[in-house]
């Protein structure tokens, strides 16, 4: 009777043990220490791993080989150092620490005790620590090492080829799972809302063009552009509306293209609901910062787009290694380049950009990345965001009108006059005349309110002051001509009426007033 033969034979027991240990160390580093495979040799006897977290060593190299001579080890360490330098440059790191482990049955026959240890290259850019795990030291080398001390390194007495294959499959499966997990970070669904926001801003651009033009200030104000005077009057919805408005075709094309690239990336990482929150909150933050620090009429998705940058930066905080390995360097370079343009080229709302960038970072910190729950951190970021907004809002509300930018003040006064709030306009403008830095328009609006309140003498003085500041102010010349005519000073009235018509001969009422004054003479 024939007996079955065991297909897994115990051959070269020590050699199989160290093959088994090689793969067990690899599995431990991937599964428990969050290292990722950089390279595995074709013979599967050398593997390079990179840390996915901010910890040292940055790189680990495992080499499975029976070492014969010290000369080979020296040459191998030198080649390893050169490869480490290439990795350092590719990763744009100032300094790189590498742990280089040899798994061997015996040490080199000519080892005099100086082959292994810590070696620093020129200027200590790379620090390489070489260790030997051999039969004599057993696994004590690993037990005494900080990186490996938490592992179980007891090896079975008899190791079969099946054991080695099983451990190798465990290590490679852990590596594959790690890769799949990383890929999932960038694949959380199709970017539906990115395309929706792109469509909305294109539609709104067409609406603006059909109703006066996207570069027409009055049209922009009518459709919700950020306009400080109306926000001061309580139209806070103007912090949201500008996200979808654009000034000119080039502005629309640039922001739509930026949204296509950045929005899709952020929506894939954070998911649809989180993306919508990040996009809108950062857009509002950009509008709010623009309101606080600039007085210009503005619109555009730039704040929300910079919010996407901020969200990607927060992703970099959660996954620094993955961030810099994939897109981090490019993202930071583009942010710096855009901000540099904003500070050097006039007409760019850098306050809105910085507000959106900050808002996007904080919004991402509040919602976090799916699957990464940090309740304490998220609550702290939420509280910080509320405190920042509250502090800026309270400070803005406490500012007196005399501290406002004069163009903002004049815009608020014009709005009050349009609403026939004569007393409120007069009080607002008088305060600025007494305590602020009024310009010609300030005195003109004040005179208009005073005319409506029946104070013609004070209105006349303020119109004269307005013309002293700006002699080409045709509306002021016309209003002064009316006041002078009402008081019987027809000659002086005619002078100002003719000056108004000279400055703007398109106004028929100026010509009519001249004719009336000439008939009286």
């Amino acid at each position: 009777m024939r007996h079955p033969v065991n297909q897994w034979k115990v051959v070269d027991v020590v050699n199989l043990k160290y093959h088994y240990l090689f793969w067990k160390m690899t599995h431990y580093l991937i599964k428990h220490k969050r290292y990722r495979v950089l390279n595995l040799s074709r013979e599967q006897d050398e593997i390079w791993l990179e840390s996915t977290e901010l910890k040292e060593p940055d790189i680990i190299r495992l080499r499975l080989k029976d070492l014969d001579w010290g000369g080979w080890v020296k040459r191998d360490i030198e080649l390893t150092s050169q490869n480490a330098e290439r990795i350092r440059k590719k990763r744009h790191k100032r300094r790189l620490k590498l742990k280089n482990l040899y798994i061997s049955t015996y040490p080199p026959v000519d080892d005099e005790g100086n082959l292994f240890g810590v070696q620093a290259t020129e200027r200590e850019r790379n620090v390489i620590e070489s260790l030997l795990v051999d039969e004599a030291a057993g696994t004590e080398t690993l037990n005494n090492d900080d990186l490996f001390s938490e592992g179980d390194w007891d090896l079975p007495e008899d190791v079969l080829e099946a054991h080695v294959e099983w451990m190798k499959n465990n290590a490679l499966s852990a590596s594959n799972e790690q890769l799949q997990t990383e890929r999932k970070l960038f694949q959380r669904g199709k970017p539906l809302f990115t395309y929706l926001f792109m469509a909305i801003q294109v539609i709104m651009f067409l609406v603006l063009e059909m109703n006066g033009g996207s570069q027409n200030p009055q049209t922009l104000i009518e459709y919700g552009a950020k306009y400080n005077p109306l926000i001061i009057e309580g139209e806070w919805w103007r912090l949201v509306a500008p996200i979808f408005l654009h000034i000119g075709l080039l502005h629309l094309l640039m922001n739509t293209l930026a949204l296509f690239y950045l929005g899709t990336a952020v929506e894939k990482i954070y998911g649809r609901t989180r993306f919508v929150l990040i996009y809108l909150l950062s857009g509002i933050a950009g509008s709010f910062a623009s309101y606080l620090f600039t007085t210009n009429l503005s619109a555009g998705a730039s704040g929300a787009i910079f919010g996407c940058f901020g969200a990607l930066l927060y992703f970099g905080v959660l996954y620094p290694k993955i961030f810099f390995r994939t897109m981090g360097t490019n993202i930071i370079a583009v942010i710096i380049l855009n901000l540099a343009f904003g500070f050097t080229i006039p007409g760019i709302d850098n306050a809105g950009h910085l507000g959106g960038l900050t808002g996007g970072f904080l919004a991402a910190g509040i919602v976090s990345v799916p699957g990464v729950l940090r309740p304490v951190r998220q609550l702290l970021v939420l509280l910080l965001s509320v405190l920042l907004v509250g502090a800026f809002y309270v400070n803005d509300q406490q500012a007196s009108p005399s501290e406002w930018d004069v163009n903002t003040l004049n815009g608020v006064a014009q709005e009050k006059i349009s609403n026939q709030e004569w007393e409120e306009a007069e009080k607002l403008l008088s305060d600025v005349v007494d305590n602020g830095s009024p310009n010609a328009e300030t005195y003109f609006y004040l005179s208009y309110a005073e005319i409506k309140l029946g104070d013609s003498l004070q209105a006349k003085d303020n119109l004269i002051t307005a013309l002293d500041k700006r002699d080409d102010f045709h509306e002021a010349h016309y209003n002064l001509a009316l006041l002078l005519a009402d008081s019987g000073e027809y000659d002086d009235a005619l002078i100002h009426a003719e000056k108004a018509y000279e400055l703007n001969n398109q106004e028929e009422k100026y010509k009519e007033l001249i004719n009336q004054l000439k008939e009286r003479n």
Side-chain angles (χ1 to χ4, degrees), residues 212-265:
S214 63
Q215 300 185 60
N216 184 318
Q218 196 57 44
T219 302
L220 288 166
I221 292 172
E222 181 182 348
Y223 280 87
K226 188 229 76 176
Y227 183 54
N228 285 13
L230 293 180
I231 294 176
I232 290 171
E233 288 293 287
E235 295 186 9
W236 292 99
W237 58 272
R238 289 182 178 272
L239 299 181
V240 180
I243 301 172
F244 306 103
L245 305 178
H246 289 83
I247 305 173
L249 181 60
L250 180 60
H251 190 208
L252 172 71
L253 291 176
M254 290 178 63
N255 277 355
T256 303
L257 187 63
L259 176 57
F260 174 75
Y261 285 109
L262 287 169
T264 51

Side-chain angles (χ1 to χ4, degrees), residues 298-312:
S298 65
S302 301
I305 289 168
F306 266 81
C308 292
F309 279 124
L312 293 176

